[in-house]
Amino acid sequence: MGRTRPKSRKAKTIFKENTAEPVSPPSVHALLEKAQELIVRCDYELAGRFARRVLDREPANAEAKEMLGVTQLETGELEAAKETFLSLIPPHPEALGSPPPSAHLYLAQLSDDDPHLALKHYQAAVDILSAQLKGKERAVDPTTTDDDEAEVKRNIVRALIGMVEIWMDPSYDLCFDPAAEKTCEELLNLALQTDPGNTEALQSFASVRMSQQRPEEAKAYLEQAWSQWKDLDLDDSRLPPIPSRLALVKLFLELELYTPALLVLQGIMATDDQEVEAWYLEGWCFFLMAEKAQESGGKLDELTWEDLARDARDCLETCQMLHINQEHPDTPLLEHVRELISKLEALGIQPSPDKEGSDEEGGWEDVEGSDDDDDDVEML
């Protein structure tokens, strides 16, 4: 009969087999990078979880707070977002000595019920950014790039334009203040002094000139703005963001400049053919062109009013479909689309027949790479 092994030896063996190196938690830097990546991917719920993970370890981390505020803003938690951004600004006990200007910019947007408070936040952001810009101009830091300085200038201009929009908004009493016109001029002149040739500032100047019934000057500002980027490739980083280009289209339509409006819309749709407002504006543009053709004997630029009206109907039908499918929040836009479709229907204008072999017949394909989402969750 063999000798029985001591139990202690077996216990030691089991202990050795289960010994493993402890897994180190992700660093704060890695968590912040992942949160930023998820925000770019519009996965705000998961990005917020990463930001909270950082704040569990470093409650005063300003970058994590800002990211958390962005995720709350994007998911409709407006009051929570406001509290988060306020925690970054003195006299809040958790605020840093020099608050990030972005906190003031977000709070300005969240203060639409109080225009004076919104203006105060915009001005605070301009002051902080201007101090940063002066510091960059004085610094001889090899890590400071022209791109950094250009971004600071663009943010100053956007804050100044935000102030102009508040002064011009007819829903606020400020619009009727005798100082409104002069204030807008001063703000926009400062914007162009800060960043000469800035297209958003030029467009804002055009909007002011429109409100002053000075259409020729407005056209000159728009042409100056558009000429800076109309020949750029669609993937060029110097292109204005889509919302800025949509605003330009609206101004073109107000001035009855239909051809440039359609050219800008063509570029937007080549980038994003699911953009609801772009389809709406294209339909509205063709509708206005059809009306003008009727007034001009039935044709405009060799196109009959019926052809233009049919193009309008097709765009508006697509807009309506996308609006419903995306559950788009702009209800007045959908109401106007339906009103225009009803007018076209009354004129006997029907949508174009569906083209054969459309993409819809192909069905959906499985998207590879979904494992990335699992990796993101595991990192938490």
Side-chain angles (χ1 to χ4, degrees):
M1 184 174 179
R3 196 171 60 173
T4 304
R5 293 181 179 180
K7 292 181 180 179
S8 59
R9 283 189 63 187
K10 187 174 183 181
K12 287 181 181 179
T13 303
I14 293 172
F15 177 76
K16 287 180 181 178
E17 289 176 353
N18 286 279
T19 300
E21 288 290 329
V23 178
S24 300
S27 67
V28 166
H29 177 72
L31 291 170
L32 290 171
E33 276 194 339
K34 179 55 68 174
Q36 183 59 47
E37 176 189 323
L38 290 164
I39 288 173
V40 172
R41 284 160 44 184
C42 299
D43 191 345
Y44 300 114
E45 190 274 332
L46 190 54
R49 290 169 63 185
F50 275 91
R52 290 183 188 280
R53 177 79 181 275
V54 174
L55 292 171
D56 287 342
R57 291 160 63 174
E58 297 183 4
N61 190 294
E63 191 175 354
K65 282 186 180 182
E66 184 177 341
M67 289 184 186
L68 177 61
V70 170
T71 64
Q72 291 167 331
L73 187 63
E74 294 292 344
T75 55
E77 302 174 66
L78 302 187
E79 286 303 316
K82 188 179 290 189
E83 289 300 317
T84 299
F85 291 126
L86 282 171
S87 72
L88 290 165
I89 296 174
H92 195 282
E94 296 178 9
L96 300 176
S98 54
S102 54
H104 283 292
L105 292 173
Y106 285 121
L107 285 167
Q109 296 174 46
L110 288 165
S111 303
D112 54 357
D113 59 336
D114 186 344
H116 294 280
L117 180 59
L119 287 172
K120 182 180 177 182
H121 281 301
Y122 275 129
Q123 186 60 58
V126 169
D127 292 343
I128 296 170
L129 289 164
S130 297
Q132 289 180 1
L133 185 60
K134 289 178 182 176
K136 290 181 184 297
E137 290 171 350
R138 289 195 302 265
V140 190
D141 185 352
T143 63
T144 300
T145 67
D146 291 341
D147 289 343
D148 294 335
E149 186 174 319
E151 183 60 26
V152 172
K153 289 180 178 180
R154 283 193 292 268
N155 285 331
I156 292 174
V157 169
R158 286 170 187 150
L160 293 168
I161 291 173
M163 297 171 77
V164 171
E165 289 172 349
I166 290 173
W167 278 97
M168 291 181 63
D169 192 330
S171 63
Y172 299 136
D173 291 340
L174 287 169
C175 179
F176 307 103
D177 190 307
E181 186 172 325
K182 181 184 177 183
T183 301
C184 289
E185 293 273 347
E186 291 173 349
L187 291 169
L188 289 173
N189 281 323
L190 177 57
L192 289 175
Q193 288 171 20
T194 303
D195 189 12
N198 183 286
T199 56
E200 292 181 68
L202 291 169
Q203 284 178 214
S204 189
F205 241 132
S207 184
V208 170
R209 291 292 179 260
M210 291 283 291
S211 68
Q212 297 168 334
Q213 305 298 315
R214 294 155 69 176
E216 292 307 315
E217 292 180 49
K219 287 180 183 179
Y221 276 117
L222 291 183
E223 177 57 36
Q224 188 179 347
W226 188 39
S227 64
Q228 295 187 48
W229 56 264
K230 65 180 180 180
D231 296 323
L232 296 177
D233 293 333
L234 292 176
D235 59 353
D236 196 305
S237 61
R238 291 172 293 173
L239 271 178
I242 285 179
S244 177
R245 283 180 272 167
L246 290 171
L248 176 64
V249 170
K250 293 175 186 176
L251 292 169
F252 277 146
L253 293 182
E254 282 190 62
L255 291 165
E256 299 184 4
L257 299 173
Y258 302 126
T259 299
L262 291 173
L263 288 171
V264 175
L265 287 168
Q266 183 181 6
I268 293 172
M269 290 182 176
T271 302
D272 182 5
D273 63 1
Q274 304 293 301
E275 174 56 60
V276 170
E277 193 170 0
W279 282 103
Y280 161 69
L281 290 172
E282 187 170 50
W284 179 226
C285 182
F286 281 126
F287 185 92
L288 294 172
M289 292 173 73
E291 283 190 328
K292 194 163 187 178
Q294 280 184 307
E295 297 168 0
S296 306
K299 282 191 175 184
L300 181 66
D301 297 334
E302 302 304 316
L303 294 171
T304 67
W305 78 267
E306 292 93 345
D307 289 337
L308 291 165
R310 190 172 296 108
D311 286 340
R313 178 80 188 254
D314 291 343
C315 293
L316 294 168
E317 292 285 357
T318 301
C319 176
Q320 180 175 234
M321 177 191 70
L322 291 173
H323 194 292
I324 294 169
N325 290 345
Q326 297 177 16
E327 299 181 354
H328 199 279
D330 194 338
T331 303
L333 184 149
L334 182 60
E335 290 173 352
H336 191 217
V337 166
R338 288 173 170 165
E339 177 188 339
L340 294 174
I341 289 174
S342 296
K343 289 182 178 180
L344 292 167
E345 182 76 27
L347 292 168
I349 301 298
Q350 298 299 317
S352 301
D354 291 335
K355 295 180 180 179
E356 295 183 6
S358 66
D359 293 339
E360 293 180 3
E361 294 175 2
W364 294 95
E365 294 182 1
D366 291 336
V367 179
E368 296 182 359
S370 59
D371 290 343
D372 291 344
D373 294 335
D374 295 336
D375 293 340
D376 292 342
V377 176
E378 286 176 8
M379 189 175 172
L380 282 168

